[in-house]
């Protein structure tokens, strides 16, 4: 594994699930880790210091260095407090893994304002706020002449990049995180910061209803949904040698990692003098005889995961 010795990392939502694996892996690679977790319920309600503290204890027991943060990443000032904690405790910040998340699934027609606001806040603002404060720290260091190799790893989702029914709030936030990744990657490149995203798949409390019905793997059999498979891409992207890889979104399913194509130019409808709606409609119907509609999340996940995918 690439050495991250001397680097300081924050992982948000690291008290459980995928974030916990990221924190443990970064610590094993030698990073000092701020283990952030509010200790919220899956819906985002409540607080509990136990999850973050127990991951800190695990890292320390294995000979690593870690400190807990119980800050709510969706609060701008709390996110600053978390970044400041890393800098005060370890003198710097090098890696920010934005991972904290909640779910409040509902069909759009029934979705409440609170269900929309809470999910957008934790995911989207919960990516913006820590990244914003980390970026200020990195800009200061770059201005002082330091050559940085800093990293942001964001957490999108197949729901966001492919679109999943019942998750208009969550999927919109996760698609926005993919867009945020593209833009912030371009903005922070000048300071030596790379910004990438993952679209993970793992058996955690968040997905136990989706994936829980799959037959559990036999003892010793490869389990593609073990959250530990989400971490090699994170550690690899954090390596100094990965300085040239930025603005990308990686779908991860077990051992299959698919570097997704971003929105890119597709079918062109061009009229030198501009279109009338009548002519354009005729062209649309002629060139899209079967219409055009989203494929849905599962078929695209299967394409992205290739042979190793076992759902559907
Ligand atoms: N599990 C999957 O298959 C899957 C798929 C796609 C995306 N994701 C994303 O991966 C990330 C991790 O998900 P998981 O499956 O490990 O879920 P999880 O529920 O096991 O862990 C999420 C953690 O985030 C913490 N958290 C929630 N709100 C917070 C806040 N405001 N501030 C700080 N911490 C907060 C929770 O306390 C929890 O420990 C999420 O962003 C999720 O949307 C997961």
């Amino acid at each position: 594994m690439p050495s991250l010795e001397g680097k300081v990392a924050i992982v948000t939502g690291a008290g459980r699930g995928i974030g916990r694996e990221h924190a443990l892996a970064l610590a094993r690679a030698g990073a000092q880790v701020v283990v952030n977790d509010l200790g919220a319920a899956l819906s985002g309600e409540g607080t509990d210091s136990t999850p973050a503290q127990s991951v800190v204890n695990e890292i320390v027991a294995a000979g690593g260095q870690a400190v807990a943060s119980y800050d709510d990443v969706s609060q701008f000032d709390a996110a600053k407090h978390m970044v400041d904690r890393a800098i005060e405790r370890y003198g710097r910040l090098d890696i920010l893994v934005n991972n904290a998340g909640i779910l409040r699934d509902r069909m759009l027609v029934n979705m409440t304002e609170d269900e929309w606001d809470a999910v957008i806040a934790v995911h989207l603002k919960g990516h913006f706020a820590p990244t914003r404060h980390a970026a200020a720290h990195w800009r200061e260091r770059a201005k002082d002449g330091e050559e940085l190799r800093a990293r942001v790893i964001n957490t999108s989702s197949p729901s966001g990049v492919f679109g999943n029914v019942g998750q208009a709030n969550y999927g919109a936030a996760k698609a926005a995180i993919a867009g945020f990744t593209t833009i912030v990657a371009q903005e922070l490149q000048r300071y030596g910061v790379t910004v990438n995203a993952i679209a993970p798949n793992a058996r955690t409390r968040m997905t136990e209803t989706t994936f829980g019905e799959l037959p559990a793997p036999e003892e010793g059999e490869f389990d593609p949904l073990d959250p530990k498979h989400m971490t090699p891409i994170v550690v690899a992207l954090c390596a100094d040698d990965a300085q040239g890889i930025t603005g990308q979104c990686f779908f991860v399913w077990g051992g299959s990692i698919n570097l997704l194509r971003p929105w890119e130019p597709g079918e062109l409808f061009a009229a030198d003098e501009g279109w009338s709606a009548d002519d354009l409609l005729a062209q649309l119907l002629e060139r899209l005889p079967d219409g055009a509609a989203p494929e849905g999340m599962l078929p695209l996940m299967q394409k992205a995961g290739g042979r190793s995918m076992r759902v559907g």
Side-chain angles (χ1 to χ4, degrees):
M1 131 156 49
S3 172
L4 302 178
E5 211 68 51
K7 294 188 189 289
V8 178
I10 294 175
V11 183
T12 73
R16 296 185 183 89
I18 296 171
R20 172 177 167 274
E21 295 292 340
H22 292 332
L24 295 173
L26 291 168
R28 278 197 301 274
Q32 296 158 308
V33 183
V34 176
V35 177
N36 162 268
D37 205 297
L38 182 63
L42 183 57
S43 62
E45 277 137 0
T47 57
D48 179 4
S49 60
T50 322
Q53 191 54 53
S54 67
V55 174
V56 167
N57 295 347
E58 260 186 273
I59 291 173
V60 171
Q65 291 185 62
V67 65
S69 139
Y70 312 112
D71 296 297
D72 177 347
V73 293
S74 68
Q75 302 289 325
F76 196 67
D77 292 343
K80 181 169 191 314
H81 182 259
M82 174 180 72
V83 169
D84 288 347
R85 182 153 176 73
I87 297 163
E88 278 157 23
R89 179 68 176 244
Y90 297 123
R92 56 195 281 141
L93 177 66
D94 303 286
I95 296 163
L96 170 64
V97 182
N98 289 311
N99 162 84
I102 64 168
L103 269 191
R104 293 198 190 177
D105 289 0
R106 191 86 63 196
M107 292 304 243
L108 177 71
V109 286
N110 294 322
M111 189 172 286
T112 66
E113 188 179 359
D114 274 355
E115 286 164 347
W116 176 269
D117 287 345
V119 168
I120 298 292
V122 173
H123 288 278
L124 190 49
K125 192 165 173 194
H127 272 63
F128 159 68
T131 309
R132 159 69 180 76
H133 297 301
H137 165 69
W138 288 324
R139 183 181 57 185
E140 283 311 304
R141 281 169 52 191
K143 269 190 184 163
D144 289 345
E146 194 180 333
E147 206 174 295
L148 268 73
R149 288 175 180 271
R151 303 286 182 259
V152 179
I153 314 286
N154 294 326
T155 307
S156 183
S157 167
S159 176
V161 292
F162 300 145
N164 195 25
V165 169
Q167 297 194 312
N169 49 0
Y170 178 81
K174 291 305 202 185
I177 286 166
F180 177 77
T181 301
T182 310
I183 294 167
V184 179
Q186 294 172 81
E187 291 192 11
L188 299 189
Q189 205 160 20
R190 73 196 72 169
Y191 305 125
V193 183
T194 70
V195 185
N196 291 288
I198 63 168
N201 295 278
R203 190 183 291 103
T204 67
R205 69 174 185 174
M206 195 174 268
T207 49
E208 59 196 9
T209 47
T210 320
F211 296 140
E213 288 158 20
L214 280 173
E218 298 287 322
E219 183 74 20
E221 195 191 331
F222 182 75
D223 177 8
L225 291 173
D226 187 323
K228 73 178 183 204
H229 302 309
M230 303 303 110
T231 63
I233 183 68
V234 170
V235 176
L237 289 170
C238 288
D240 283 348
D241 287 346
Q243 187 68 10
I245 303 169
T246 193
Q248 306 303 309
C249 183
F250 297 86
F251 171 93
V252 191
W253 177 280
S256 293
I257 296 176
N258 196 313
L259 174 47
L260 299 175
R261 286 197 202 103
W263 286 97
E264 59 177 25
E267 188 78 9
L268 177 66
F269 296 82
D272 290 343
E273 306 296 327
W275 284 103
S276 75
D278 270 342
D279 289 350
L280 181 56
L281 178 60
Q283 271 290 305
L284 286 169
L285 296 178
E286 189 185 318
R287 285 166 61 183
L288 303 170
D290 300 322
E295 272 186 67
M297 187 173 76
L298 265 184
L300 290 170
M301 282 176 67
Q302 280 166 329
K303 269 189 209 166
R307 281 179 300 115
S308 80
M309 271 204 64
R310 295 192 293 169
V311 294

